[in-house]
Amino acid sequence: MKVPDVDELTKRITLFASRPRPYLPDESFGQLYAGLPEQDVEWSWINPNRALLEEPGTQSFIHDASDRAYYDHQSERGRSPDRITGIAEFAQRIANERGEERGLQELLGIGSDGSIINDRFLRINVDGYESPLGDIFRINGNGNHRLAALAALEVPCVPAEVEWRRGPFSTTPCRIDEGCDERIAYRTLLHAFGVASYIDPTNFTENYSGIVTKDWPYLIDDPDSAVESLSALEALSGETYTSSIGRLPRHLFNDPDNLIAAGNHLVQTLSGVESDFDSTTLMQRSTNDSGFIGRFFKRR
């Protein structure tokens, strides 16, 4: 390959680091009613374009990689003026090695016999998340500089130690602020239409922060985050998601105002059901009077 110049590599690294990021919540370790997360670790090939750095933007570039040396004679190289340029110079050296065995072994964490080196520091470590748009990854502690350099060189796949995050996932508690009611209504919408579940559904008005899911962890924070996260997932995968999300139509997630309106309507409807439950059974309520949410489903 023709090795790109430093300016071109610097531009690519900056764009790679600044890509939109989906919301990635924590797993629900031992949380009541949520169950324990399933975990497994494997050595696998991953697509750098589906991998995110540990922190947003360039915050993960904690040192200048230009003097990252694998040979004694490289230790005298001067330092680059900034960290991104240093990674660009590092990428050039990777390309110029052109498969030189010893350098690539240390770079990728593979022993001379092809086995995995036991020193975790040398491996590219990522968390893996399954999604309806394919697997995505996020650096977990080690490999930010190497992944950015390899992505800038347009390497199609790299070996990494993947720790799969299987869920269930829970999101942050709902703080009392001006957006709290909208967030509660949105999470109630997710619960009612099979995207996520309240930990204690018999008492979800008291447990609105305990929303969990296995399939859509990217969407369970708030309406704005959900719209941005779905768009980020589509950008990472290079395809548009068109199917339903739970039992909600995809187009609801084009605009946070749609989700806010649908959530508010649902809460009002549930409040109405609760207030007249003694005098009107659910079977007597007209399915034609489905309001805002019904109109969305009629458009599918």
Side-chain angles (χ1 to χ4, degrees), residues 6-294:
V6 169
D7 288 341
E8 174 62 23
L9 288 169
T10 298
K11 178 181 177 181
R12 293 182 188 181
I13 291 166
T14 303
L15 291 174
F16 180 78
S18 61
R19 292 171 302 160
R21 301 167 65 92
Y23 174 68
L24 296 173
D26 294 326
E27 290 172 298
S28 308
F29 288 97
Q31 194 167 155
L32 188 62
Y33 301 106
L36 292 173
E38 302 172 14
Q39 291 181 307
D40 57 85
V41 179
E42 67 175 352
W43 183 255
S44 181
W45 291 91
I46 68 170
N47 181 348
N49 288 324
R50 285 180 170 266
L52 299 163
L53 300 178
E54 186 173 15
E55 301 291 341
T58 59
Q59 297 178 58
S60 299
F61 301 149
I62 59 176
H63 60 77
D64 175 5
S66 64
D67 59 354
R68 186 182 183 122
Y70 296 113
Y71 303 99
D72 292 340
H73 70 270
Q74 290 180 330
S75 60
E76 298 177 0
R77 288 178 53 85
R79 295 177 64 84
S80 295
D82 62 72
R83 293 172 181 175
I84 300 177
T85 303
I87 298 172
E89 293 179 353
F90 175 42
Q92 279 194 323
R93 292 211 318 281
I94 293 173
N96 286 325
E97 285 181 1
R98 300 186 183 280
E100 203 287 329
E101 184 176 0
R102 187 173 129 200
L104 291 178
Q105 284 171 2
E106 293 203 32
L107 177 75
L108 300 174
I110 300 174
S112 58
D113 60 353
S115 62
I116 303 170
I117 294 176
N118 290 326
D119 185 358
R120 286 177 56 91
F121 179 77
L122 292 176
R123 305 184 202 172
I124 294 177
N125 307 118
V126 299
D127 292 325
Y129 298 82
E130 295 177 336
S131 89
L133 284 163
D135 300 334
I136 64 169
F137 308 93
R138 180 179 60 185
I139 291 289
N140 177 11
N142 188 48
N144 291 287
H145 302 83
R146 282 176 289 168
L147 188 74
L150 292 166
L153 293 171
E154 299 179 342
V155 173
C157 55
V158 298
E161 183 182 64
V162 182
E163 183 169 348
W164 289 102
R165 303 296 182 179
R166 307 291 190 185
F169 301 91
S170 64
T171 191
T172 54
C174 197
R175 295 183 295 273
I176 303 300
D177 54 31
E178 61 182 22
C180 183
D181 289 342
E182 289 180 353
R183 187 173 296 189
I184 295 171
Y186 171 66
R187 293 179 180 179
T188 302
L189 181 73
L190 299 183
H191 174 87
F193 287 88
V195 182
S197 299
Y198 282 117
I199 292 173
D200 182 3
T202 63
N203 192 29
F204 65 74
T205 56
E206 298 295 329
N207 294 283
Y208 51 78
S209 64
I211 195 87
V212 295
T213 184
K214 289 195 72 171
D215 299 326
W216 288 105
Y218 324 98
L219 306 181
I220 60 175
D221 191 31
D222 59 52
D224 289 295
S225 172
V227 171
E228 292 174 1
S229 291
L230 188 53
S231 176
L233 278 177
E234 291 175 333
L236 287 173
S237 67
E239 60 181 289
T240 301
Y241 186 77
T242 57
S243 301
S244 297
I245 296 173
R247 296 187 299 277
L248 291 172
R250 165 65 179 85
H251 63 78
L252 267 184
F253 291 83
N254 289 334
D255 188 333
D257 289 340
N258 292 343
L259 297 170
I260 292 170
N264 288 337
H265 178 78
L266 175 64
V267 169
Q268 293 170 7
T269 301
L270 291 176
S271 298
V273 170
E274 183 180 25
S275 65
D276 64 4
F277 187 81
D278 292 335
S279 59
T280 306
T281 67
L282 290 175
M283 292 297 293
Q284 293 172 324
R285 297 183 65 84
S286 171
T287 57
N288 294 325
D289 184 22
S290 53
F292 188 81
I293 294 204

